[in-house]
Amino acid sequence: MVLRAYAKYLRQAGSTFSQDYMEDTLRHNVHTTRLLVSLFEARMSPDRQRAGYELVDALLEELDAALDQVASLDEDRILRSFLTVIKATLRTNFFQETAGGASHEYVSMKFDPQAIPDLPGAAPGVRDLGVLAAGGGRAPALRQGRARRSALVRPA
């Protein structure tokens, strides 16, 4: 769900690669994809954040080596885009639970658009929010302004 949300965010941000092609790239590069997920968890999971910067630094080194092994230029660009948005993620609700202890039906992420090169309209001091519902309904916000609000679109 997290990688799908990132792919949808990248599409909204202007990526020329289709959702299907990005997903195929992740499937064709299983080791690198697992490292990307581990990096997301190391940075965002309250349980893994306790490991500190050493874990994140080690994963970044391993990711650099894995990305150097990617044969296709397009796949390299896609995987590096995922790495960029993971590193630009400031916070997420992915690891939070509802009052009943279940996972949310959506994932929301707050990004630092200044950390995402070529993002259209990234003004200084602006934060960006993307939301993806489990059924594919989404409401990513790519708007200007300091206060960002995004309505959640729930699948029918």
Side-chain angles (χ1 to χ4, degrees), residues 38-39 41-42 48-49 51-60:
S38 293
L39 179 64
E41 290 173 345
R48 293 199 52 200
Q49 282 179 334
Y53 292 109
E54 289 112 19
L55 176 59
V56 171
D57 290 343
L59 286 166
L60 288 171

Side-chain angles (χ1 to χ4, degrees), residues 29-85:
N29 296 277
V30 175
H31 177 66
T32 305
T33 301
R34 286 185 179 144
L35 290 172
L36 289 169
V37 170
S38 293
L39 179 64
F40 172 80
E41 290 173 345
R43 293 190 71 246
M44 297 293 137
S45 170
D47 295 334
R48 293 199 52 200
Q49 282 179 334
R50 293 184 192 102
Y53 292 109
E54 289 112 19
L55 176 59
V56 171
D57 290 343
L59 286 166
L60 288 171
E61 280 184 39
E62 197 171 346
L63 268 163
D64 281 342
L67 289 169
D68 287 342
Q69 301 301 313
V70 176
S72 163
L73 182 59
D74 283 348
E75 289 188 356
D76 180 77
R77 287 180 182 155
I78 290 167
L79 294 168
R80 288 182 192 276
S81 294
F82 276 89
L83 175 59
T84 298
V85 293

Side-chain angles (χ1 to χ4, degrees), residues 72-155:
S72 163
L73 182 59
D74 283 348
E75 289 188 356
D76 180 77
R77 287 180 182 155
I78 290 167
L79 294 168
R80 288 182 192 276
S81 294
F82 276 89
L83 175 59
T84 298
V85 293
I86 290 170
K87 288 168 45 177
T89 304
L90 299 172
R91 67 177 177 250
T92 182
N93 75 328
F94 185 76
F95 298 97
Q96 295 175 350
E97 296 177 344
T98 64
S103 298
H104 289 283
E105 294 180 12
Y106 59 91
V107 61
S108 63
M109 299 172 195
K110 186 174 184 179
F111 302 102
D112 178 0
Q114 301 304 309
I116 306 172
D118 304 323
L119 185 67
V126 173
R127 295 293 187 252
D128 208 17
L129 175 69
V131 178
L132 175 72
R138 65 187 188 282
L142 290 174
R143 295 184 295 265
Q144 291 296 319
R146 289 190 183 274
R148 302 243 180 194
R149 303 200 188 272
S150 180
L152 174 64
V153 177
R154 293 204 183 261

